[in-house]
Amino acid sequence: MTPTHTTPTAISEEWFTALAEAVHSDRETQVIGRYSDFWIGAVSPGNWQVALSFRISELVPAPWEDLPREHILISATQAGWEQIFDPQPKPLHHDLLALAKNSPDVTVSGSDVELVRNLRVIARLIDLGKALHAQH
Amino acid sequence: MPSTETPASSIENVVGRYINLRSSGRDQRIYFEEAGSGPVILCLHTAGADSRQFRHLLNDPDITSRFRVVAFDLPWHGRSLPPEGWWEEEYLLTTDAYVAIVRDFAAALNLKQPVVIGCSMAGSLVLELARRHADDTGAVIGLSGALKVNGRFQDWSLRPDVNAQQSVPTWTSSLMAPQSPEVSRREVWWIYSQGGPGIYRGDTYFYSQDLDLRGRGQEIDTEACPVYLLTGEYDHACTPADTADAIAEIPGAKGGPMKDIGHFPMAENYPLFKTYLLPILDELHPAEGSQDLNRPALEGTHHV
C-alpha cells in the first residue's frame, strides 16, 4: 500500500480512511473477506470515535450513529492505539488478543462471538494497519 | 512425463507408518513419522494440531545423525482416526488418557528411555510423565508448558455460527512472535485449520482444566528424569512467567525464556529453536568428539 501525503501520522478518525484504502488494495483481504460482514467501534476516549463497517472485503469508516447493536468494541488510549498498530511490538504486546490481556491501555469488548467469528479478517486489518503505521 | 523444465525434486528421509494398538480400553490406529537412528526423541504436538509441527526436526541431519526422532498424531488428530463411537461423545482429553496413549505408543514401538519433547499442552504433559514415570522416561523437554495454564478452554469453537476452521488457527496464531518467518507462521495456521470439530477445545480441557500440578513440583525427580522447560517470550497463553514458576517449584529443573519466539518454537522458527535445543541434547547425550562436555545447558539466563 502507498500512503498518500494526507495520511495522518497519529491514529485518528482520518487515519482509518487510509487503512480503508490499504484494505481495498490488499489481495489477501480481498480473498478472505468476501463473505464477511461485521462492525467495529473504535474509540479513543475523550479524543475520537469511529464506526468501521467491514463488508464484502471493504472497510468503510462510518458515523458512530450507524454502529449496530452487535459489534466489536476496541477502546484504547492514544498510547494503546499506537500499541495496536506498532510494527515492532514488544513481547506480550504484539497482537490484539495479547494487548487485551496485558495492556492497561487497550480494552476489547462488545460481542465476543463477533470477535472470534471475524478474527481472521480482523488480524489482517491490524497487520495492514501496522504496515501503514510503519511508513511514517 | 517430465516437463521441459524438470523441477528439482527430493524425497525426504522421513518415513510415515501406522500402528494399531489399544489404549484406555479402545482400539486406536495411530499414524507416526520417524527419521534417524540413535537415542530416541519422542515428539508430542500441540492441542488441535498434529505431528507435522515437527517436520523440521525430523529433517534436520544434525539431529537425525545422532537421534531417532519419532512423532505421532494423537487419536482424533492428523492422520490418526478417532476410535469407534466418537460420534456419540464429547471429546475431552484427560490427563490419564493422555499419559496412557503416550506410554502405550512408546511401548508398542519399544522405545526405550525416550527424550520426550512436548509443546503447549504436551509441554505440560511431559511434567506429568516425569512425575508418574521417571523410571522409563529418559528426559523431558517441555515447550510452552507449566504446572497450570489458565484460560485456554473455551466453548466458542463449537458454535455452528463460528467457522472454527478459520477462527481457531487465527486464535492460536496470536501466540507467535511477529518476527518468526511468515511462511512458517502461515504453516502453523494451516495445520490448525485442519483440526476436527471440537478437538482443539477438547485438548485444552486437559491443558487448562484437568491438569494442575501446582504444589506437586517436588514430586518430580529430576535426577531420575531430567526436566527442561523453555517458553517463547511472545507466548501469552503459557507465559515465560508461568514456566519460571514451574522451574522454581521443580527441584533441579532447568530452562527459561526463549528470545524472539512464541508458543510454537519447533514449527514457527526452527532454526532459532534449534539453538536452544542442541545444548540440551548435548547435555543429555554428548556428541562424539564433543569439546564442551562440561558446559551446562541453559544455566543462568537462557541461551548457550
Side-chain angles (χ1 to χ4, degrees):
Chain A
M1 78 213 68
T2 305
T4 67
H5 65 281
T6 57
T7 304
T9 54
I11 312 295
S12 63
E13 287 178 84
E14 294 75 23
W15 185 87
F16 286 101
T17 300
L19 179 61
E21 293 171 5
V23 168
H24 180 72
S25 58
D26 180 55
R27 288 194 298 181
E28 182 174 344
T29 312
Q30 295 306 306
V31 171
I32 69 175
R34 189 179 304 168
Y35 300 103
S36 300
D37 186 354
F38 63 91
W39 287 78
I40 297 173
V43 180
S44 175
N47 294 310
W48 51 265
Q49 60 185 21
V50 60
L52 300 167
S53 166
F54 186 95
R55 187 167 180 271
I56 318 176
S57 298
E58 298 295 337
L59 183 71
V60 180
W64 187 258
E65 295 72 33
D66 291 354
L67 197 64
R69 190 172 65 84
E70 284 290 304
H71 64 269
I72 302 143
L73 185 64
I74 304 175
S75 180
T77 65
Q78 278 305 115
W81 282 106
E82 297 293 329
Q83 292 168 11
I84 291 170
F85 293 113
D86 185 351
Q88 294 184 306
K90 64 180 183 179
L92 307 185
H93 282 66
H94 60 283
D95 172 275
L96 185 64
L97 299 178
L99 286 164
K101 278 186 197 172
N102 299 309
S103 172
D105 295 314
V106 177
T107 302
V108 179
S109 59
S111 170
D112 290 343
V113 173
E114 282 290 280
L115 176 67
V116 295
R117 185 185 287 147
N118 297 289
L119 196 57
R120 186 182 187 192
V121 169
I122 293 168
R124 183 62 187 164
L125 297 182
I126 290 174
D127 281 348
L128 291 171
K130 290 182 181 221
L132 190 65
H133 213 40
Q135 296 175 33
H136 291 283
Chain B
M1 178 73 71
S3 64
T4 51
E5 291 182 23
T6 305
S9 63
S10 64
I11 295 177
E12 298 181 8
N13 289 322
V14 181
V15 174
R17 302 188 70 179
Y18 292 90
I19 187 166
N20 293 278
L21 54 83
R22 277 187 75 78
S23 190
S24 299
R26 305 178 81 171
D27 293 328
Q28 306 282 1
R29 183 176 188 252
I30 301 295
Y31 176 75
F32 67 99
E33 297 182 341
E34 67 172 298
S37 60
V40 174
I41 299 174
L42 178 58
C43 305
L44 308 179
H45 61 75
T46 66
D50 62 58
S51 61
R52 284 177 292 178
Q53 292 178 319
F54 288 94
R55 73 178 183 91
H56 302 290
L57 187 66
L58 283 156
N59 273 296
D60 184 347
D62 290 342
I63 303 292
T64 56
S65 63
R66 296 168 52 197
F67 296 92
R68 178 185 177 192
V69 183
V70 182
F72 75 98
D73 296 344
L74 283 173
W76 279 274
H77 299 72
R79 295 174 72 99
S80 295
L81 290 169
E84 187 176 330
W86 61 268
W87 54 90
E88 293 181 324
E89 64 187 84
E90 178 184 15
Y91 174 73
L92 293 171
L93 182 64
T94 64
T95 304
D96 288 344
Y98 198 1
V99 168
I101 188 63
V102 172
R103 286 174 52 77
D104 292 338
F105 174 80
L109 282 185
N110 198 28
L111 306 179
K112 302 291 188 188
Q113 296 291 322
V115 175
V116 185
I117 298 180
C119 185
S120 185
M121 67 166 182
S124 294
L125 182 276
V126 298
L127 296 177
E128 182 66 353
L129 273 181
R131 190 181 73 84
R132 294 192 192 187
H133 302 290
D135 289 349
D136 55 14
T137 305
V140 298
I141 303 172
L143 313 173
S144 320
L147 300 171
K148 180 79 171 79
V149 175
N150 292 312
R152 301 308 290 178
F153 181 67
Q154 300 191 28
D155 290 335
W156 54 259
S157 66
L158 286 177
R159 290 179 62 117
D161 57 348
V162 170
N163 182 347
Q165 187 186 27
Q166 297 187 22
S167 294
V168 168
T170 310
W171 179 264
T172 53
S173 286
S174 161
L175 305 173
M176 287 187 275
Q179 62 268 51
S180 288
E182 180 174 13
V183 67
S184 299
R185 287 186 284 116
R186 298 278 188 168
E187 184 173 304
V188 171
W189 191 98
W190 181 257
I191 291 171
Y192 265 92
S193 76
Q194 297 179 321
I199 301 308
Y200 171 72
R201 169 183 176 273
D203 284 343
T204 57
Y205 175 79
F206 159 78
Y207 194 32
S208 279
Q209 300 291 116
D210 198 42
L211 184 75
D212 186 352
L213 290 173
R214 288 174 296 183
R216 309 191 74 171
Q218 302 270 348
E219 298 172 19
I220 297 175
D221 180 358
T222 58
E223 291 289 325
C225 178
V227 170
Y228 300 85
L229 293 173
L230 301 168
T231 291
E233 63 178 351
Y234 284 82
D235 187 346
H236 62 87
C238 173
T239 67
D242 295 330
T243 299
D245 289 344
I247 292 171
E249 191 176 320
I250 302 169
K254 298 180 181 179
M258 293 183 284
K259 192 170 169 52
D260 293 332
I261 206 162
H263 188 77
F264 306 94
M266 71 289 171
E268 72 172 82
N269 192 342
Y270 179 72
L272 178 57
F273 169 60
K274 181 180 175 180
T275 67
Y276 292 91
L277 177 63
L278 275 178
I280 296 174
L281 296 178
D282 287 343
E283 185 167 283
L284 294 169
H285 294 280
E288 280 185 26
S290 171
Q291 300 300 304
D292 204 8
L293 294 177
N294 295 318
R295 183 181 60 178
L298 301 164
E299 194 142 286
T301 52
H302 69 280
H303 200 181
V304 289

